[in-house]
Amino acid sequence: MALILNIETATTNCSVALSRDGETIFLKEDNSKNYSHAESLHVFIDSVLKETDVKAKDLDAVAISKGPGSYTGLRIGVSAAKGLCFALDKPLVSVPTLQALACQAKITDGVIVSMLDARRMEVYSAIYDANYNEVRETEAQILDENAFAEYLNQGKVYFIGNGVEKTKTLIQHPNAIFLEEKLPSANEMGVISDAKYKKSDTEDVAYFEPYYLKDFVVMKPKPKA
């Protein structure tokens, strides 16, 4: 019975869940609009372990949402996960953020477009089938009225994530179904992390880095006139 601590910090949702054999047994998160990861993450981890009466040494693995997403959020989550793995000598499992997000959509046909806002008219997106198998890999793309036309012309397309709001202002297609705006959560990570753990699909703790997709660029302030 695999006991895995799942950590999600790719967006404003600071989320921690404990799962046993892929089922979430306790979840603590703050999905407000503000980033609270630096202050809240370790508090949430301690709370989840305390509430479930589980000692950290009894964990089988630690799973981290690997991105794409917020540069700062991902760094905080990955640093915490790697610190736990080093201290406890436990394996690290990485979970694609967009796949875990897609798992919030329960469908029987068509495909799921899992998307996160990347500012302006750009999103990070990936496409999954009804069983959450990857149909199209993660991309950073600029939205327009023809986005996802290949999939929309073939059948139902379910859009989920915090990129949905701006997407539905552009895409007017009868096969487009816009689900309630959601953020990734550790609640859906367990089923993925459990499967990867049981296949020994783990990361090198020393060298693992988040999946940023795009390089983080620091804009220099313009000189004053």
Side-chain angles (χ1 to χ4, degrees), residues 145-170:
E145 63 273 12
N146 297 313
F148 310 106
E150 173 187 351
Y151 303 95
L152 288 162
N153 291 333
Q154 293 176 8
K156 293 179 181 178
V157 177
Y158 299 82
F159 294 88
I160 189 169
N162 66 356
V164 165
E165 197 61 35
K166 62 187 177 185
T167 304
K168 65 184 181 184
T169 66
L170 292 171

Side-chain angles (χ1 to χ4, degrees), residues 88-126:
L88 301 169
D89 192 24
K90 301 295 182 181
L92 176 67
V93 179
S94 69
V95 172
T97 302
L98 293 175
Q99 184 182 17
L101 174 60
C103 289
Q104 295 186 42
K106 311 301 181 185
I107 68 170
T108 56
D109 61 344
V111 297
I112 303 162
V113 176
S114 181
M115 53 169 47
L116 292 178
D117 188 1
R119 299 183 181 176
R120 299 188 179 90
M121 293 311 293
E122 193 172 13
V123 294
Y124 301 129
S125 69

Side-chain angles (χ1 to χ4, degrees), residues 119-138:
R119 299 183 181 176
R120 299 188 179 90
M121 293 311 293
E122 193 172 13
V123 294
Y124 301 129
S125 69
I127 303 178
Y128 299 90
D129 65 18
N131 295 314
Y132 312 115
N133 298 307
E134 187 178 76
V135 173
R136 198 216 67 196
E137 64 183 8
T138 300

